[in-house]
Amino acid sequence: MDEAMGAEKKENCYEIYYIKEDALKLLLAGLGQTQWYGLFSGDGQKETTNRILAELYQNGMIDWDGAGAALRAPYAKMFSVMLEKKSCVTIQSPVLLSPVRCCYLSQTGVVLTQKSQREDRTLGIALLPVQGFIRMLEAECARLEAGECCIFSCRSSQTGQAFQKLRVSRDGLRAYQVEIQTENGAGTRLHCMQDELAARLGKLLYTEAAAKHSGFLQEK
């Protein structure tokens, strides 16, 4: 299968759809979003606009209507999530199993993006429910050994400005330490047991700092 415009089923039950960087950039620009953090290589566009649109149509990503091109499912939902709140999380982990770039957040879902390991200038995008995303972060932390940590940085998806960082490390066999740093330099530290970590991470991603930048409502 041609990964550049295909879909791949992952073991944890979500599909990754592959799209060329130039095509994704063109679609975002068409939706009024020309500035975007964490997606693209530094190079300029390699193909003409007409050629990109033709490939998108041939691969079933867009349809033509009276007003121009329209995104088809499931891409329409993914782009809706990405544009809803313009907030993302980047992941730094010594044990990250896939080359994840950014995870774009909304109230209704999360779009995960990763660099293709087989095709140049190609990205994989996948739509996860919010709780599925939190479980993914929990699974990354579960693989940590003593002395290792995961860092989850909450950022503006337009500028990349980090407004909150969560540093998670092991604190014994069945516990974690979470260090929280906000953009004003304030820091706090909390301790939680293994079965509490997912709930803690979920609430921290919906703090007042996140709401200020993304419009999220804090989870109860």
Side-chain angles (χ1 to χ4, degrees), residues 130-131 133-135 137-138 141 152 154 164-168 174-180 188-207 210 218-220:
V130 172
Q131 289 304 313
F133 171 65
I134 298 301
R135 286 194 296 270
L137 300 187
E138 180 187 30
C141 295
F152 307 124
C154 303
Q164 181 176 249
K165 290 187 178 181
L166 311 178
R167 184 181 185 272
V168 183
R174 297 183 179 180
Y176 294 92
Q177 180 174 273
V178 183
E179 298 177 44
I180 307 154
T188 57
R189 183 178 300 177
L190 59 86
H191 174 92
C192 65
M193 300 304 294
Q194 184 169 303
D195 58 359
E196 301 173 321
L197 182 62
R200 288 283 192 176
L201 291 175
K203 289 182 178 180
L204 288 169
L205 290 174
Y206 291 85
T207 60
Q218 187 170 0
E219 284 190 342
K220 302 298 184 182

Side-chain angles (χ1 to χ4, degrees), residues 53-93:
L53 288 173
E55 289 183 355
L56 289 170
Y57 179 73
Q58 291 167 3
N59 286 284
M61 292 185 62
I62 62 172
D63 281 326
W64 296 107
D65 58 25
L71 281 166
R72 299 183 65 184
Y75 303 98
K77 176 62 175 177
M78 292 182 185
F79 278 74
S80 175
V81 166
M82 293 174 71
L83 293 169
E84 181 182 332
K85 300 299 182 184
K86 297 184 176 63
S87 179
C88 68
V89 171
T90 55
I91 303 172
Q92 296 170 258
S93 170

Side-chain angles (χ1 to χ4, degrees), residues 87-112:
S87 179
C88 68
V89 171
T90 55
I91 303 172
Q92 296 170 258
S93 170
V95 292
L96 196 62
L97 297 183
S98 60
V100 173
R101 284 195 173 183
C102 292
C103 304
Y104 299 90
L105 311 184
S106 83
Q107 282 286 67
T108 58
V110 178
V111 171
L112 178 152

